[in-house]
């Protein structure tokens, strides 16, 4: 252990359980924060910082030092109700963000963005491309038809790619719009997105206002970097151990669990696996039940190489296409082309500089060394039909053999999903969030 416990550690109390939480992403932080009110909680984090995909980095650009988020970036009030309630309770300030989207393809040579007519036709040849106008028509048709599905609750049991082929959507719509948008949102390759269940895709897009032109939700970002909420939550957690990977978890029915770390073994009454499902399986080893293997092993992960940099060469060639989210596709056959996404942080967060500050996932070419600020490794769940089916079986595993499972992988893979899962585990262990069970008036972001 290289760090003293955060907050005021309360010695073991009568009736309190000793609970281990593995992983300090939003699911682990939330459950540990709530449960520390009534139980003795130890939060284990293998890395050297808390937060998981909430990873705020201090950078120095143009002689100014400021925080930049490299993972979790934005939220809205419509589809992040628990996160908004948490931020309101903690007094976390937020500011309005931008969710513009741009596309830059190598084959064919095509660039466009959806901010306005100027960005839509920033590449003037788009005006005379029949396929481009066909894409725009297909966008309207897809939004209309899938909105009808979402409202009616009747969606074919089919993969997204099969639906597009069945309904004769154009290749331009698929390759120039839908795949880029989906890849930017889920950080996954083309073939994975085409295998996504249509019903889940439609439900997510409808809930997030992605199928409508008007009345889209406003998006926000944390004012001083998302680590501000991490700092507040962690200060109220009983004990935190950074740089302490859990190596193995052994469970004894009716007795508890035994955690092994580089420092030795410790016994706990309950364990919360707030890490990726594949990591959980590795920790359980031969002790995993057949049901756990079936559910936890059904979710695959896409590893993403994230570069934080200031290299404008990793943005669209035409400045008029620069957007908050920028999708790139390289040369090659459809479905085999390398893809990358660059997030222009200046558009997403209120940065005090004009120099473009960018987070690029899996760039074809590395940014120039003089522009590199940092490099990070993230993993995102891939939601194919097998993973979605496994999610429905997860509730039956909760609490068995003193084990609980939480994480964004239990939902759509986003921050609200991770938080929701952590709150659900804490509630099952007897501690609800202050806003649960009653209407919560959310304060407008400041």
């Amino acid at each position: 252990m290289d760090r003293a416990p955060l907050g005021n550690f309360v010695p073991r109390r009568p009736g309190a359980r000793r609970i281990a939480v593995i992983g300090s992403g939003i699911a682990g932080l939330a459950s540990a924060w709530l449960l520390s009110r009534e139980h003795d909680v130890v939060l284990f984090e293998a890395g050297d910082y808390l937060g998981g995909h909430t990873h705020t980095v201090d950078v120095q650009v143009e002689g100014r030092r400021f925080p930049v988020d490299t993972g979790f970036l934005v939220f809205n009030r419509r589809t992040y109700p628990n996160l908004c309630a948490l931020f309101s309770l903690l007094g976390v300030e937020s500011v309005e963000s931008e969710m513009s989207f741009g596309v830059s393809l190598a084959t064919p040579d095509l660039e466009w963005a959806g901010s306005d007519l100027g960005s839509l036709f920033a590449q003037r040849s788009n005006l005379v491309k029949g396929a481009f106008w066909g894409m725009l028509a297909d966008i309207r048709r897809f939004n209309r038809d899938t909105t009808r599905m979402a409202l009616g609750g009747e969606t074919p049991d089919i993969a997204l790619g099969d639906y597009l082929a069945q309904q004769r959507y154009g290749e331009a719509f698929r390759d120039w719009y839908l795949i880029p948008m989906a890849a930017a949102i889920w950080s996954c390759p083309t073939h994975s997105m085409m295998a996504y269940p249509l019903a889940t895709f439609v439900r997510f897009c409808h809930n997030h206002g992605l199928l409508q032109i008007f009345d889209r939700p406003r998006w926000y970002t944390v004012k001083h970097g998302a680590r501000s909420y991490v700092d507040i939550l962690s200060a109220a957690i009983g004990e935190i151990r950074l740089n302490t990977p859990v190596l193995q978890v052994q469970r004894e029915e009716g007795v508890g669990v035994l955690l092994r770390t580089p420092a030795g073994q410790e016994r706990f009454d309950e364990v919360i696996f707030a890490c990726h499902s594949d990591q959980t399986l590795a920790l359980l080893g031969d002790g995993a039940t057949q049901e756990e293997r079936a559910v936890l092993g059904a979710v695959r992960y896409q590893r993403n190489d994230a570069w934080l940099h200031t290299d404008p060469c990793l943005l669209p060639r035409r400045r008029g296409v620069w957007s908050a989210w920028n999708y790139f596709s390289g040369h090659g056959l459809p479905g085999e082309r390398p893809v990358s996404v660059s997030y222009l942080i200046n558009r997403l967060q209120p940065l005090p500089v004009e120099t473009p500050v960018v987070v690029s996932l899996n760039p074809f070419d590395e940014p120039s060394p003089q522009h590199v600020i940092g490099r990070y490794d993230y993993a995102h769940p891939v939601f194919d039909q097998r993973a979605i089916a496994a999610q429905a079986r997860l509730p039956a595993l909760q609490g068995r053999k003193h084990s609980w499972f939480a994480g964004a992988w239990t939902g759509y893979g986003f921050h609200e999903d991770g938080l929701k899962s952590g709150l659900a585990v804490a509630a099952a262990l007897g501690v609800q969030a202050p806003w649960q069970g009653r209407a919560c008036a959310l304060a407008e972001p400041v």
Side-chain angles (χ1 to χ4, degrees):
M1 184 192 320
D2 69 343
R3 173 177 172 173
L6 292 176
N8 298 317
F9 178 69
V10 180
R12 192 161 177 79
R13 294 154 287 188
R17 280 177 279 184
R18 193 159 192 255
I19 301 174
V21 179
I22 304 173
S24 71
I26 182 65
L29 284 171
S31 56
W33 167 69
L34 280 174
L35 292 169
S36 289
R37 299 181 176 196
E38 297 185 15
H39 300 285
D40 299 338
V41 177
V42 180
L43 176 62
F44 293 89
E45 170 54 53
D48 59 2
Y49 73 93
L50 298 174
H53 284 200
T54 300
H55 188 192
T56 307
V57 178
D58 287 318
V59 305
Q60 185 145 347
V61 177
E62 296 180 13
R64 307 191 66 171
R65 191 170 180 80
F66 51 90
V68 169
D69 285 321
T70 63
F72 163 63
L73 281 162
V74 294
F75 63 96
N76 67 68
R77 290 188 53 174
R78 182 186 303 176
T79 54
Y80 290 69
N82 288 294
L83 190 67
C84 288
L86 176 66
F87 286 176
S88 178
L89 180 70
L90 301 180
V92 173
E93 294 181 283
S94 57
V95 293
E96 198 157 347
S97 183
E98 176 188 317
M99 288 293 283
S100 55
F101 174 62
V103 175
S104 180
L105 308 180
T107 306
D109 177 11
L110 175 77
E111 289 194 328
W112 70 277
S115 301
D116 50 36
L117 287 176
S119 64
L120 194 64
F121 298 104
Q123 184 176 357
R124 291 292 179 255
S125 59
N126 291 345
L127 285 164
V128 295
K129 282 191 178 84
F132 191 81
W133 288 99
M135 176 195 76
L136 297 179
D138 274 348
I139 290 174
R140 292 177 61 87
R141 176 163 71 103
F142 183 82
N143 289 355
R144 181 185 65 245
D145 292 349
T146 51
T147 295
R148 188 183 302 120
M149 292 178 195
L151 294 176
E154 295 182 3
T155 307
D157 183 16
I158 190 174
L160 176 60
D162 293 336
Y163 173 77
L164 297 181
Q166 181 188 88
Q167 297 300 314
R168 299 178 182 272
Y169 279 94
E171 292 181 2
F173 168 77
R174 182 194 65 200
D175 297 338
W176 302 355
Y177 169 72
L178 194 65
I179 285 177
M181 180 188 72
I185 293 173
W186 276 279
S187 304
C188 67
T190 300
H191 61 85
S192 297
M193 205 61 247
M194 288 298 94
Y196 204 102
L198 176 66
T200 305
F201 182 84
V202 168
R203 185 166 59 249
F204 172 86
C205 290
H206 177 73
N207 291 343
H208 284 72
L210 299 177
L211 301 178
Q212 58 204 70
I213 303 299
F214 305 106
D215 192 32
R216 288 191 171 189
R218 292 186 193 175
W219 290 84
Y220 301 92
T221 188
V222 179
K223 187 175 183 179
H224 302 294
R227 70 174 169 212
S228 57
Y229 88 77
V230 173
D231 293 340
I232 298 172
L233 291 182
S234 62
I237 295 174
E239 183 179 353
I240 294 175
R241 302 184 190 176
L242 283 174
N243 296 302
T244 307
V246 175
L247 305 177
Q248 185 182 37
V249 177
Q250 294 179 305
R251 301 169 298 177
E252 300 176 38
E253 194 68 52
V255 178
V257 297
L258 194 65
L259 265 67
R260 182 168 64 87
T261 72
Q265 293 185 336
E266 290 184 70
R267 186 171 296 281
F268 293 86
D269 299 309
E270 309 282 341
V271 60
I272 299 173
F273 294 96
C275 47
H276 293 319
S277 54
D278 58 345
Q279 295 171 327
T280 298
L281 269 182
L283 293 177
L284 291 174
D286 294 339
T289 66
Q290 183 176 350
E291 293 87 350
E292 288 170 341
R293 291 184 187 281
V295 172
L296 301 176
V299 183
R300 297 179 295 113
Y301 291 84
Q302 167 70 27
R303 303 207 70 83
N304 289 299
D305 187 18
W307 293 77
L308 175 61
H309 63 90
T310 59
D311 191 344
C313 292
L314 274 69
L315 290 170
R317 299 180 294 279
R318 296 165 179 83
R319 194 179 183 96
V321 178
W322 286 13
S323 304
W325 297 22
N326 302 274
Y327 169 90
F328 298 85
S329 177
H331 296 283
L333 296 174
E336 299 177 2
R337 299 167 184 159
V339 299
S340 173
V341 179
S342 283
Y343 303 95
L344 181 54
I345 307 300
N346 309 62
R347 297 283 183 92
L348 291 160
Q349 298 186 303
L351 304 188
V353 295
E354 295 296 324
T355 300
V357 178
V358 185
V359 173
S360 293
L361 296 186
N362 311 314
F364 314 144
D365 300 308
E366 296 180 1
S368 299
Q370 67 269 26
H371 290 291
V372 174
I373 299 172
R375 186 177 183 179
Y376 316 101
D377 182 34
Y378 297 122
H380 296 85
V382 175
F383 296 104
D384 53 19
Q385 188 61 59
R386 185 165 171 253
I388 300 298
Q391 289 177 341
R393 300 168 60 187
L394 180 62
L397 301 183
Q398 298 287 21
R400 289 187 181 181
K401 302 186 76 170
H402 311 281
S403 302
W404 305 83
F405 309 94
W409 64 270
T410 66
Y412 292 109
F414 296 96
H415 228 55
E416 176 73 10
D417 302 303
L419 174 58
K420 184 179 178 180
S421 70
L423 298 179
V425 168
L429 287 167
V431 185
Q432 282 194 325
W435 62 87
Q436 288 182 312
R438 60 179 176 83
C440 180
L442 302 182
E444 283 285 355
V446 178

